Amino acid sequence: MVVDAALLAQARAWIADARNIFVLTGAGISAESGVPTFRDALTGLWARFDPEELATEEAYRRQPALVWQWYQHRREMVAVARPNPAHYALAELGRRKSITLITQNIDGLHQQAGSEHVVELHGNLFANKWLDTCGRCDTVPPIPGDPPHCALCGAMMRPGVVWFGEDLPRVARFRADHAAQNCEVCLVVGTSGLVYPAAALPGLAKEHGAKVIVVNPQPSALDETADIVLAAAAGECLPALLAGESA
Ligand code: APR
């Protein structure tokens, strides 16, 4: 990892002095765990599928089996992924300091690494919920490849993720906005900063006086908002950045 030592030291000092730290993570923090990111040209799902065609309610109603199988495929891929040193470094930070961890990821790796109270802005890949419901929905044994249906009204289950064009979960959105406005440091890890409203959070933190630190090996749309950009992979950079004061 070749990161400017002075920048790393300054970022470490801001984190050490901060009472409240707001952390925003994106697909990049899970890249070293083997979870493909949406936009990385080589491995990103963006290159192999057009998520905008699949990750929408309209697409699901139009072709439920295709979309359901895509999510089952992603669940199989993510189920074998394990947290990497970046996830563990954030979990350790959360045991030492007051942090609010907001993630755009749906892979559950922060929780697996031991982070608590993780705010999943875009839901969770392994959760399901009813697309429609009669209020007494109960599932019938699923047919492989098809989404589970309600035995009473025939409603379909859907993945518990936020699809394009849908609002973020209200509580998650509230907690993210509140944390962004009440932190001294905003640490942004592994996001292109292209998808709103998540991408607006570092700017909101900065407006409220926070120092913004970005960790990303590539330039991102949030670099202009950043006070420090650490151009490094999360798995390499975070253990050094977040090691306790005694380290
Ligand atoms: N460490 C840190 N960052 C990394 C690493 C790494 N090892 N590898 C890749 N990155 C960076 C890339 O440079 C890129 O800027 O992670 C970022 C991933 O960007 P995206 O694929 O756009 O993922 P993300 O920003 O999380 O997308 C936001 O958009 O597609 C929707 O719902 C989806 O939650 C996702 C949202």
Side-chain angles (χ1 to χ4, degrees):
M1 173 183 83
V2 180
V3 165
D4 180 297
L7 288 181
L8 186 67
Q10 177 61 80
R12 277 179 54 80
W14 286 343
I15 289 168
D17 293 345
R19 285 188 321 282
N20 298 294
I21 299 171
F22 172 79
V23 183
L24 174 68
T25 64
I29 199 170
S30 296
E32 291 155 273
S33 296
V35 176
T37 69
F38 263 61
R39 293 173 185 80
D40 274 1
L42 289 177
T43 60
L45 292 179
W46 206 258
R48 288 190 283 157
F49 297 95
D50 186 343
E52 302 241 356
E53 280 177 299
L54 294 178
T56 66
E57 179 178 332
E58 188 275 330
Y60 191 59
R61 290 185 184 278
R62 183 162 31 84
Q63 36 190 10
L66 172 70
V67 176
W68 180 261
Q69 286 159 27
W70 181 50
Y71 277 90
Q72 295 296 82
H73 167 63
R74 293 175 66 194
R75 284 167 172 164
E76 285 161 15
M77 280 196 299
V78 172
V80 297
R82 292 292 171 263
N84 67 59
H87 295 105
Y88 288 115
L90 279 175
E92 201 281 326
L93 180 72
R95 286 189 282 272
R96 264 189 301 116
K97 295 191 79 88
S98 163
I99 75 168
T100 302
L101 176 49
I102 309 286
T103 187
Q104 301 171 87
N105 301 338
I106 59 176
D107 56 32
L109 291 179
H110 284 301
Q111 295 91 320
Q112 267 192 58
S115 287
E116 297 182 340
H117 315 302
V118 178
V119 179
E120 294 177 309
L121 277 184
H122 295 165
N124 187 296
L125 185 58
F126 298 98
N128 286 319
K129 61 184 184 180
W130 291 106
L131 180 64
D132 305 300
T133 177
C134 60
R136 295 176 298 127
C137 279
D138 195 0
T139 53
V140 293
I143 301 164
D146 272 358
H149 284 74
C150 170
L152 303 173
C153 69
M156 282 191 296
M157 278 263 181
R158 56 161 284 180
V161 298
V162 177
W163 277 331
F164 287 103
E166 294 184 325
D167 291 335
L168 300 187
R170 219 166 16 155
V171 171
R173 180 73 193 272
F174 173 80
R175 288 182 60 195
D177 286 343
H178 181 266
Q181 298 174 63
N182 294 277
C183 66
E184 292 78 41
V185 166
C186 170
L187 175 60
V188 184
V189 186
T191 182
S192 56
L194 295 174
V195 173
Y196 284 78
L201 292 166
L204 181 63
K206 191 169 182 96
E207 283 165 21
H208 286 76
K211 294 291 187 190
V212 178
I213 301 164
V214 164
V215 176
N216 192 328
Q218 302 298 326
S220 82
L222 295 171
D223 289 1
E224 286 167 32
T225 308
D227 294 288
I228 286 183
V229 177
L230 299 173
E236 293 172 26
C237 179
L238 259 59
L241 175 65
L242 303 180
E245 286 80 12
S246 54

